[in-house]
């Protein structure tokens, strides 16, 4: 990487950090936790969010900012649960930026929400570098992806407050060693919460939702 | 995106294009096809390559350049098949560059090979923009990722010579509409070859390998 590239990347990250800092203030003033969900394409982020919204209905008012390169498929799926969702299309860019999130906050009924999810572009690499001003990052790893992904893509697993291991209904069919995956994640990040779940069957959803509920209660009381 | 960022990105792409052009000449002089395999993390690229090497053993001599952010797990897996493999670690970067490939060619016994695979970093977005000088790009989409991925991540599907839909052994368990996925891919790229396969069970491997064999014969005869 040449020096000019490094310098410009630093400037981009500094500009992003200014917006991230504003976002953090915006959220702190309103006492709304905001979780930045990061994973490979197809790990089940949108299904997890839709099921989480249903599970916490009547207890936690959730809004979602969806990031995708193209299409508004995901925002449409979230809206079928009754929750408000705003779709960002990055038109090629491989991650969301803090400036996009800053604008998106004003497209949601923020003052009526208890919790905001950001579903980042499906990409296990680039989104982990860009601070959006979120309260915490959540990593999703799905069983069919394989238990070697924490070792191969360490950045997001090192920075996440929680890792969701999704699609555990496929454990019998995949070569996925849960204990190996857990050990590799804890080696990168000893304080991380790890939840095993299947958004499809609902298995494990309650523990994850109980953790979210406690986060919201601690923030707002 | 600001103008300075655009200009520097253009320079990076131009520098990459110079190495890509050298790589293309290097391959053309030796009449070796080189395929750049791109997908999400965990779609099964390494398993496909290992099974392909076994299937074509004695007919096509294959070498592999492996790209990963960290670890040499994949190169080790390839070497168990008896094929030569060279591991590149990008140490954080989200895609391989043509300069890395140019150096890697000299780490393989290139003059004894009939076909080179490049397994790019697991990322459905960034690698599609960086020409490595390859003969063709191959996209892999696995069934558990969902049939909406071609619409949501169009760039690689538009640029691939072939799309492998892998893990078809999981079709009964996933909400994956093969006809929808095929139609979306063909909408982006009417000339693309689409192969359905399960690297795990071996289903569909023969058709893919027959296509590769024809490509090698056409290049070298």
């Amino acid at each position: 990487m040449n020096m000019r590239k490094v310098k410009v990347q630093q400037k981009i990250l500094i500009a992003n950090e200014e917006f991230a800092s504003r976002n953090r203030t915006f959220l702190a003033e309103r006492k709304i936790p905001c979780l930045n969900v990061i994973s490979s394409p197809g790990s089940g982020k949108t299904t997890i969010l839709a099921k989480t919204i249903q599970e916490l209905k009547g207890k936690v008012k959730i809004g979602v900012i969806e990031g995708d390169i193209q299409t508004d498929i995901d925002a449409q799926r979230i809206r079928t649960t009754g929750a408000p969702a705003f779709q960002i299309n990055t038109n090629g860019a491989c991650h969301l930026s803090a400036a996009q999130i800053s604008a998106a906050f004003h497209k949601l009924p923020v003052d009526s929400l208890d919790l905001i999810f950001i579903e980042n572009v499906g990409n296990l690499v680039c989104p982990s570098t860009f601070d959006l001003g979120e309260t915490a990052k959540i990593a999703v790893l799905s069983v069919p992806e394989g238990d070697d992904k924490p070792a191969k893509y360490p950045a997001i697993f090192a920075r996440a407050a929680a890792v969701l291991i999704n699609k555990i209904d496929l454990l019998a069919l995949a070569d996925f060693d849960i204990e190996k995956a857990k050990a590799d994640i804890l080696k990168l990040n000893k304080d991380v919460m790890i939840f095993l779940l299947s958004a499809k069957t609902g298995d494990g959803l309650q523990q994850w939702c109980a953790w979210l509920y406690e986060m919201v209660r601690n923030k707002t009381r």
Side-chain angles (χ1 to χ4, degrees), chain A:
Chain A
M1 202 183 287
N2 64 40
M3 280 313 293
R4 170 171 276 181
K5 185 175 177 187
V6 170
K7 277 186 192 156
V8 173
Q9 283 195 334
Q10 281 169 347
K11 285 200 182 181
I12 293 164
L13 283 169
I14 289 166
N16 187 70
E17 192 48 58
E18 284 172 10
F19 275 104
S21 173
R22 280 193 228 174
N23 292 349
R24 235 185 305 279
T25 304
F26 179 92
L27 293 164
E29 284 171 356
R30 288 160 182 80
K31 295 187 179 176
I32 307 174
C34 174
L35 301 176
N36 180 6
V37 185
I38 296 174
S39 81
S40 304
S43 68
K45 292 185 292 304
T46 317
T47 308
I48 290 171
L49 295 185
K51 292 292 181 86
T52 299
I53 291 163
Q54 283 161 348
E55 182 77 18
L56 289 170
K57 199 159 265 182
K59 290 166 80 180
V60 180
K61 277 167 268 155
I62 296 176
V64 180
I65 298 169
E66 285 289 345
D68 277 294
I69 291 171
Q70 295 285 344
T71 82
D72 66 344
I73 298 171
D74 289 354
Q76 286 182 39
R77 286 181 60 196
I78 295 297
R79 285 187 204 114
T80 63
T81 67
F86 178 71
Q87 179 78 52
I88 298 169
N89 279 155
T90 66
N91 297 311
C94 51
H95 61 86
L96 290 172
S97 71
Q100 289 171 318
I101 297 304
S102 186
F105 283 153
H106 299 283
K107 304 289 187 177
L108 288 176
V110 169
D111 292 319
S112 71
L113 297 177
D114 302 315
L115 174 63
I116 297 172
F117 280 110
I118 300 168
E119 182 180 338
N120 220 310
V121 176
N123 184 330
L124 207 49
V125 187
C126 314
S128 67
T129 316
F130 285 80
D131 182 8
L132 304 180
E134 71 273 337
T135 312
K137 291 179 169 65
I138 308 294
V140 181
L141 169 64
S142 65
V143 162
E145 291 171 58
D147 55 25
D148 58 349
K149 295 306 168 291
K152 288 169 75 178
Y153 302 84
I156 179 56
F157 296 97
R159 291 171 187 171
V163 175
L164 313 188
I165 300 182
N166 190 30
K167 307 194 189 180
I168 57 167
D169 53 300
L170 298 177
L171 270 173
L173 293 153
D175 300 323
F176 191 101
D177 181 338
I178 287 275
E179 294 311 316
K180 178 188 168 357
K182 276 188 181 174
D184 282 356
I185 293 165
L186 290 169
K187 209 181 294 170
L188 294 163
N189 185 345
K190 69 180 174 48
D191 300 318
V192 73
M193 292 291 299
I194 301 177
F195 296 98
L196 306 184
L197 59 89
S198 164
K200 191 175 179 181
T201 66
D203 229 14
L205 204 66
Q206 280 192 333
Q207 290 90 318
W208 153 245
C209 288
W211 184 76
L212 290 174
Y213 185 62
E214 276 310 300
M215 179 190 288
V216 170
R217 284 211 328 152
N218 284 332
K219 268 270 186 176
T220 55
R221 73 185 166 194

